[in-house]
Amino acid sequence: MVNPKLKDELNTQLCNAVLKLENLEECYQFFEDICTIGELKAMAQRLEVARMLQEKNTYEAIVERTGASTATISRVKRCLNYGADGYSLVLERMKEAEEQ
């Protein structure tokens, strides 16, 4: 279920915009325009932290690979355990796509 604090007209517009992207090149174009490089790298880092946590990597291994702080790792872990299951949904779909 979507957090009601997040669900508003502008966030819905953003989510709908992302759903309109058709390929990797379009994603790069869109995110380059909408995010700073730092924001995009932070999102990519959090996704990798989530993937590594699901694979039961240690904090030490995650810090070494991603450069994420232990606070970021803890925040992502909290989302994996108590969040909206967005990370799990995306990571499962990515894994399924890799296996095909």
Side-chain angles (χ1 to χ4, degrees):
M1 186 165 102
V2 177
N3 181 338
K5 292 179 183 177
L6 291 177
K7 197 165 186 176
D8 65 22
E9 183 181 346
L10 295 179
N11 285 333
T12 296
Q13 178 179 269
L14 175 62
C15 290
N16 281 324
V18 170
L19 291 171
K20 300 296 181 210
L21 301 171
E22 294 181 2
N23 57 50
L24 188 60
E25 184 65 26
E26 288 182 1
C27 286
Y28 271 105
Q29 288 175 294
F30 179 71
F31 283 106
E32 182 178 341
D33 285 348
I34 202 165
C35 297
T36 65
I37 292 172
E39 290 167 338
L40 185 55
K41 288 189 175 291
M43 288 190 292
Q45 180 189 65
R46 289 192 292 269
L47 182 60
E48 179 62 5
V49 168
R51 187 193 66 76
M52 292 183 76
L53 284 168
Q54 279 195 336
E55 291 183 354
K56 309 293 187 216
N57 283 272
T58 64
Y59 273 39
E60 182 179 292
I62 296 169
V63 168
E64 185 177 315
R65 166 137 170 81
T66 67
S69 68
T70 56
T72 295
I73 298 168
S74 295
R75 191 174 317 116
V76 171
K77 185 175 183 177
R78 187 171 52 252
C79 288
L80 283 170
N81 292 330
Y82 306 108
D85 292 328
Y87 280 124
S88 297
L89 175 72
V90 167
L91 291 170
E92 181 62 32
R93 288 184 182 166
M94 290 171 65
K95 188 174 181 179
E96 288 171 1
E98 278 180 16
E99 293 170 356
Q100 294 178 358

